[in-house]
Amino acid sequence: MDVQENESLKFRVKVTLRSTTPVVGIEINPGVSVSEGGSFTVRPYFCVFSWYREQITCYIHHTKFPTLQCMSCVELNVPVKESYYCSRECFIDSWAEHKKRHLNATETISRTSTDHDQQKGRKLRSCGSWRESGMLSWPEFGAGSWPEFGTSPWPEFGTWSLLHESEVLVEREGKIWFKVGSSKNYVPKVYDTGLRLRLECVAVDCSRGILSSPVNVTVTDPVIEFPAPPRPRSVVPIGCLQKSCNFHPQSSNYITFSILSYNILSDLYTIGKYDYCPSWALVWEYRCQNLLREIIKYNADILCLQEVQSNHFEIFFEPELKKCGYLALYKKRSNEVYTANQYTTDGCATFYRHDRFREITKYELEFDKMASSVVEALEPELRTEGSIRLKKDNVALIVMLETLANGCACDASQSRVCVANTHIHSSPELPYVKLYQVATLLDELEKIVQSQVPLIVCGDFNSHPQSDPHTFIVNGKLDPGKKSTDPYGIHQHLKLRHPLSLSSAYARFFCLPDAVEDRQLLGKMNRLTREPVFTRLTPKSSRTLDYIFYSADNLMVEGLLELLDREDLCGGLPSPLWSSDHIALMARFRIKPPPLPSHPFESAAPGRLLP
C-alpha cells in the first residue's frame, strides 16, 4: 500500500495511559480512540504505532552515541547513563574505574537492601565473576556478533549488549530516539530502565490508503524496575488437636489439603480510587502479574478468588493457572458494565489441582433470583422497596470435589469435600441484605452436604465479626432479640438456624502455645472476636470482612497462613507490593477419620465376637 501524506487531516487520534510510569516486564496497553469532526469515526481506518526509547550519549565521550551497554550496571542500579560506551576500546580503557562502580554498588546493596537485592549483589559482585549468566538475547540490537577480543562473551567484563543499529535512530524536537517497537503495546525491557519512552500514533484511512490524522505523541516518565517481592508469608502450624475425640492413630493415608481465599480487587473498582497508591501499581497489567506471582507462591490445593473480572478470568487467570496444574470454575454476576470497549463484570472463581481432586458436581447461586419467595412473603406495601433492596446480583459458587491419590479416588468414607466460594453484598446500609444472602447460602449448603460431607465456606462476606451474618454462621442461629434493624420485615421469612457446625479457621490461632502465640499474633488477632484485626486495609480504616469457615465435626485445622500488620503493608492497600485491597487467607485442613467404636462389640458382625 502506498501511504502518502494527506493535506486535509480529518481524523484525530487520542491516546491515554493509565500511568505514565512504565515498569520493566509490564505491558503498556494504551487506550486509543479515533474521531472525525468531533465524533467517533465510522470510516474504516487503522492505526500505525512506533515506540522509541530516548537515546543518550557515551558516558566517556559525550558527543558520541553509544554502541554497547553494560548490563551489570543496569542490574546493580548504577545510573543508567554510566552504562553506555561508544566503542569496545572506550569500554576497555575505562574498565578500572567502571569496575569500582560495580564494587561500590554491591557494597551499598549488602548494607541497605533486601534479601532479594543482596542475592543480586552477590551474583554481580564483580564482572569477572559473573560467568554463569552469559549474554542476554537482544535480537533487535544484533546481539551475537561478538567483538574479536577476549573470550566470548568477555566474562571478565560482565554482561553487555551491542547497540549498533543506526537505521532506527530518529531525531524528534532536537533529541535522538531509538526505535524499539511497532505494535500498539510495548513491554519495557531491563535495558529501558531509567529512560523515557515515546509512542507515536497516526491513523490511516483504509479506503484511500493515506495518513489521515496528525501524529499523536505520548512521552512517558523514566522506566522503573519491577519491585522486589515482599517477604514470603509462611504457614503457621496449629498443633492443638481435639484430644477428647476418639480418633484412629495418625496415618499417612489421612487426607490433607490447603485452601486459599482472596478478594483480588477487580479492575472495575480501581478507577478513580486509591489515590495513595502509585498509578503504575494500579494498572491491571502490573497488578495481574503481581497477583499471579503471589497466588502461585502460596501453593494451595484449592483457590477461592473473589472479584475476578470476567474477561480477566478468560484471558489471564484460567490459562495461567492451568499451566500450574489447576482446573477452573467460574460464576459471574449478571449486571455487566461497559469498560475498555467491552461489557464485563466480576464474579467468583474456584480453582483446584487436577491431580488432587475431581469435580463431582457444582452449584451456582444467584441471590437476586432466589429473592422472589421472600419478596412475595412481605407485606404488600413493602414488596416493591423490599425487592429493590434484596435483588442484588451477588453470587456463590459451590463445588463438590472428590479427593484423589495417584489419580484414583480415596477411601469413600472420607473422599469428598464441599467448597463454597461467595462474595456477599457490600453496602453497610443494608445489613439485612447481607443476612438474607448468608442465610440463603447456608440453607442451600445444608441441602447439599446434609452434615456428612466436610464443608468449607470461603469468601468476602463484607460483614464484621459478631455481626448478624458472622454470628449466624458460627453459632448456627440468631437470637430473636439480637438481630439488627429490619425495616421491611425480611428476617421473619428467613430460616435463621442451621446444623452445619461451622467454625472460623483463624480462631484456631488461639490453640497455639502462649510463647508462640505472643510472637505470631501480636497486633494481628483480635482476642475478643477471635478473628484477624483486619483483612482489608486503607489509610483511613481497617476492617475484617474475609473468612474461611469449616465444618468442625469432620475437619481439623493443621496450619494457617500468617497474618500481616500495618507495618508490613505500609499503612494501606493496594500498594506496589500487595495488589489488592484485601489480604489473602489460607488454611491447611485434615479430614477427620471416622471415630473409633466406643464399645469393642459394636463393630462385630452378628454372632461373632471381636478378638
Side-chain angles (χ1 to χ4, degrees), residues 599-611:
H599 191 279
F601 299 103
E602 282 185 6
S603 299
R608 179 185 175 194
L609 295 178
L610 290 174

Side-chain angles (χ1 to χ4, degrees), residues 354-421:
H354 67 77
D355 60 342
R356 293 292 317 276
F357 300 97
R358 179 168 58 210
E359 178 189 341
I360 301 300
T361 186
K362 72 172 182 178
Y363 308 84
E364 298 178 349
L365 305 186
E366 298 180 359
F367 295 120
D368 55 349
K369 295 181 179 179
M370 302 176 73
S372 298
S373 60
V374 177
V375 171
E376 289 302 316
L378 299 179
E379 295 296 328
E381 66 273 13
L382 299 177
R383 288 175 188 170
T384 300
E385 285 296 322
S387 176
I388 294 173
R389 298 295 186 271
L390 279 185
K391 292 190 175 181
K392 308 300 182 184
D393 68 332
N394 300 85
V395 297
L397 177 62
I398 304 167
V399 59
M400 186 73 73
L401 298 173
E402 185 174 42
T403 57
L404 302 176
N406 299 320
C408 300
C410 300
D411 182 357
S413 65
Q414 49 176 319
S415 65
R416 293 192 176 187
V417 176
C418 182
V419 177
N421 179 10

Side-chain angles (χ1 to χ4, degrees), residues 145-208:
S145 302
W146 305 103
E148 298 176 355
F149 73 94
T151 57
S152 174
W154 307 357
E156 66 270 32
F157 295 109
T159 300
W160 47 271
S161 174
L162 296 175
L163 302 177
H164 184 63
E165 287 286 352
S166 59
E167 66 271 20
V168 294
L169 292 176
V170 300
E171 183 177 357
R172 298 287 190 269
E173 296 90 34
K175 189 171 184 177
I176 302 299
W177 297 83
F178 187 91
K179 189 170 184 179
V180 293
S182 300
S183 301
K184 175 188 175 186
N185 300 350
Y186 179 69
V187 180
K189 312 300 188 297
V190 66
Y191 43 86
D192 294 326
T193 305
L195 300 175
R196 291 175 172 81
L197 301 175
R198 177 188 179 99
L199 171 61
E200 295 182 357
C201 178
V202 64
V204 176
D205 188 333
C206 292
S207 61
R208 295 179 291 173

Side-chain angles (χ1 to χ4, degrees), residues 77-373:
N77 296 325
V78 173
V80 67
K81 65 180 181 180
E82 300 179 14
S83 66
Y84 287 100
Y85 294 85
C86 61
S87 67
R88 54 190 179 182
E89 291 79 10
C90 174
F91 184 55
I92 294 171
D93 291 344
S94 62
W95 173 244
E97 188 64 28
H98 183 94
K99 187 174 181 179
K100 289 181 182 179
R101 293 198 294 275
H102 282 220
L103 296 175
N104 292 337
T106 55
E107 289 174 2
T108 300
I109 288 174
S110 64
R111 288 196 311 269
T112 63
S113 300
T114 63
D115 292 340
H116 171 81
D117 286 336
Q118 289 177 14
Q119 292 174 6
K120 180 168 65 175
R122 286 192 292 271
K123 185 176 181 181
L124 305 178
R125 190 165 300 280
S126 71
C127 286
S129 64
W130 192 18
R131 296 172 181 265
E132 71 272 21
S133 64
M135 181 175 177
L136 299 180
S137 176
W138 295 7
E140 63 267 43
F141 293 130
S145 302
W146 305 103
E148 298 176 355
F149 73 94
T151 57
S152 174
W154 307 357
E156 66 270 32
F157 295 109
T159 300
W160 47 271
S161 174
L162 296 175
L163 302 177
H164 184 63
E165 287 286 352
S166 59
E167 66 271 20
V168 294
L169 292 176
V170 300
E171 183 177 357
R172 298 287 190 269
E173 296 90 34
K175 189 171 184 177
I176 302 299
W177 297 83
F178 187 91
K179 189 170 184 179
V180 293
S182 300
S183 301
K184 175 188 175 186
N185 300 350
Y186 179 69
V187 180
K189 312 300 188 297
V190 66
Y191 43 86
D192 294 326
T193 305
L195 300 175
R196 291 175 172 81
L197 301 175
R198 177 188 179 99
L199 171 61
E200 295 182 357
C201 178
V202 64
V204 176
D205 188 333
C206 292
S207 61
R208 295 179 291 173
I210 58 176
L211 299 180
S212 298
S213 77
V215 177
N216 180 285
V217 177
T218 303
V219 178
T220 73
D221 296 329
V223 176
I224 64 173
E225 288 192 8
F226 199 107
R231 179 185 64 83
R233 296 169 65 186
S234 60
V235 174
V236 180
I238 306 298
C240 177
L241 302 181
Q242 297 178 356
K243 298 179 181 179
S244 59
C245 298
N246 191 12
F247 296 135
H248 289 298
Q250 287 193 357
S251 164
S252 60
N253 294 328
Y254 289 171
I255 299 167
T256 62
F257 61 92
S258 55
I259 186 165
L260 177 82
S261 183
Y262 197 4
N263 181 327
I264 63 171
L265 180 57
S266 170
D267 191 44
L268 290 169
Y269 307 134
T270 63
I271 307 299
K273 299 181 180 178
Y274 310 109
D275 56 0
Y276 51 84
C277 180
S279 61
W280 55 265
L282 282 177
V283 172
W284 175 247
E285 287 75 14
Y286 175 87
R287 291 181 55 237
C288 71
Q289 295 296 335
N290 208 29
L291 287 165
L292 181 66
R293 180 174 65 176
E294 179 189 0
I295 290 168
I296 290 174
K297 282 186 177 181
Y298 293 134
N299 198 31
D301 298 308
I302 303 171
L303 309 173
C304 292
L305 307 183
Q306 303 89 41
E307 284 196 24
V308 181
Q309 203 162 299
S310 54
N311 56 321
H312 296 159
F313 171 79
E314 295 169 0
I315 66 177
F316 182 75
F317 283 109
E318 184 177 27
E320 289 298 324
L321 288 171
K322 184 177 181 180
K323 298 175 186 177
C324 301
Y326 291 97
L327 295 180
L329 302 168
Y330 184 64
K331 176 59 180 175
K332 68 179 181 179
R333 300 168 65 164
S334 58
N335 292 337
E336 295 187 328
V337 298
Y338 188 77
T339 179
N341 299 319
Q342 63 181 324
Y343 283 94
T344 188
T345 185
D346 69 290
C348 296
T350 299
F351 301 82
Y352 60 91
R353 293 193 183 277
H354 67 77
D355 60 342
R356 293 292 317 276
F357 300 97
R358 179 168 58 210
E359 178 189 341
I360 301 300
T361 186
K362 72 172 182 178
Y363 308 84
E364 298 178 349
L365 305 186
E366 298 180 359
F367 295 120
D368 55 349
K369 295 181 179 179
M370 302 176 73
S372 298
S373 60

